[in-house]
Amino acid sequence: MSDKPTAVRVYLARVRTALADLPASEIEEILEDVRPHLAELEAELGEGARVEALIERLGSPESYAAELRASGGYPAPGEGATQVMTTAAAPSLVKPRIALWGLMLCSVGLGLFAFGAAVTVRPDPLIGLFLLAPVFLVSLALLLRGGVEPVLALPEVAWLRTTMAKGREQDESGKLLRYFASLKPAWWVLCALALIAFGLLFMLRHRGAVIMLPFLLVVGVAAVWAGPRVRTDRRLLWVSVPISAFVIGATLGGFGAVVDLFARGASYSGPSSYYPSSADHYGNDQLIYGGREVDNLYAFDAEGKALTEVYLYDEDGRPITVTRYGCERASGTRQKIGQDNRFPRPKIDQGVTDDQGNFNGYNGYRGACREIAEVPFNAAIPKVTAPPATTAPTPAPTPTR
């Protein structure tokens, strides 16, 4: 990579100097908008283009900066100094920082919950989204009340934008970043298609998940609408970033589920293990009766008393091992905890709790899970009547003379 500055870099450096009275975040936003146009112009002029050639086409960097000020509604240099002083005397950055990091926390959480749902091909991990809802609402409320400008003026945001700008000015990294930027329109369409596919997959696996499909359709439309408008309205980051995180998490989780399924299919079945011919939707062993998956088994003795610990084996003495589930206390979701052949298993009941700990109460909002060990029904064991004993016929006496 050559260290010699290109015509675009020299031109932009002078533009940056002419805009130096504006906030750093605003300068980076302006330069980010005009940099692709200048790069195209430089490519048109040729590899050895000089700054003078750009000045002939665009005017001096100072006049170009003045045009950018006017088109963006920014103040003149004298007024800009007053604005910088006002910004420096701005109140605490606590609220903008809560808005920003609330968005980041929710985006990471969405990605993780989507990953878990895709890996297990079950919607249960998505219950954890209820935990993120209050954080997101607080972040969104602070954004709408204070505006996006205080968030963009945060030191961490300014550092990120400056780093990205420097990366674009480099030869190799700049080409890569510009390539990814060119894929943005296709990315939002891909997000919409991935969300719809996500909903259809869950609907096919679980009939109750059909209620997710309309919601995912709305989110997909929101992605296609908001994604291209982020450049002009940074508030839409509170829509586009969580959607992107969800799609990335779901995609990685789906890839992991496929890899796990193939790995389980290729694993060796030893003499001491029992592998049924059927497996559930993510590769774990399961029992099938009458074409339906059986999650639990209950055994009773001849008097109708439930047996609390029963171990199942086949005719060859191999354990019939199937997946065992339990409650994940932190998120209130069902998770795989192992495999064994012991029955019955506790029933996994998922729902929500309120602040008083009431399960599935009217004001419930926090994801919850509980294990119910009791047998949920009584069994009437039919009495088997032994057939009556048959007596052998008495042989006829032998006549005597």
Side-chain angles (χ1 to χ4, degrees), residues 109-345:
L110 276 171
L112 292 177
F113 288 130
F115 179 85
V119 165
T120 60
V121 199
R122 300 186 67 91
D124 302 341
L126 297 181
I127 297 178
L129 299 182
F130 288 103
L131 300 175
L132 300 176
V135 179
F136 181 77
L137 292 176
V138 170
S139 174
L140 184 61
L142 292 175
L143 170 74
L144 297 178
R145 176 174 297 183
V148 74
E149 289 77 13
V151 177
L152 297 178
L154 289 172
E156 51 265 45
V157 177
W159 173 85
L160 177 61
R161 299 178 71 171
T162 302
T163 303
M164 295 291 292
K166 291 180 179 178
R168 293 189 185 94
E169 293 176 0
Q170 303 298 321
D171 292 340
E172 296 180 359
S173 59
K175 291 180 181 179
L176 183 62
L177 291 174
R178 287 192 293 271
Y179 173 73
F180 283 131
S182 67
L183 298 179
K184 285 182 180 179
W187 167 252
W188 301 119
V189 175
L190 179 63
C191 284
L193 295 177
L195 289 168
I196 295 174
F198 192 77
L200 290 174
L201 175 62
F202 277 95
M203 186 180 66
L204 293 175
R205 293 292 187 179
H206 309 277
R207 294 181 180 178
V210 67
I211 60 175
M212 293 174 51
L213 189 57
F215 174 74
L216 292 174
L217 285 172
V218 172
V219 175
V221 172
V224 175
W225 175 83
R229 293 171 171 81
V230 169
R231 182 176 294 274
T232 57
D233 188 351
R234 297 297 183 182
R235 294 175 298 178
L236 294 177
L237 287 171
W238 271 251
V239 177
S240 60
V241 172
I243 292 176
S244 296
F246 187 92
V247 170
I248 292 173
T251 303
L252 293 177
F255 179 76
V258 171
V259 172
D260 181 69
L261 182 61
F262 278 103
R264 288 181 176 274
S267 60
Y268 171 73
S269 175
S272 61
S273 300
Y274 179 73
Y275 283 79
S277 59
S278 298
D280 63 15
H281 36 260
Y282 51 94
N284 296 316
D285 300 328
Q286 68 177 38
L287 294 176
I288 299 295
Y289 179 76
R292 297 178 56 187
E293 178 182 351
V294 178
D295 292 330
N296 211 344
L297 293 174
Y298 298 93
F300 296 82
D301 62 13
E303 303 300 326
K305 180 181 178 181
L307 303 179
T308 58
E309 193 167 358
V310 176
Y311 295 84
L312 299 183
Y313 294 84
D314 67 4
E315 68 276 9
D316 296 322
R318 295 176 297 182
I320 302 178
T321 303
V322 296
T323 304
R324 175 178 288 271
Y325 297 96
C327 284
E328 207 285 313
R329 303 298 180 185
S331 62
T333 59
R334 188 178 84 156
Q335 67 173 359
K336 175 185 173 181
I337 60 176
Q339 297 186 96
D340 57 43
N341 66 328
R342 179 166 55 91
F343 294 90
R345 279 88 183 278

Side-chain angles (χ1 to χ4, degrees), residues 84-106:
V84 171
M85 292 177 61
T86 305
T87 304
S92 171
L93 298 178
V94 172
K95 291 182 179 179
R97 190 158 279 145
I98 292 176
L100 172 66
W101 289 104
L103 170 65
M104 294 297 101
L105 175 62
C106 292

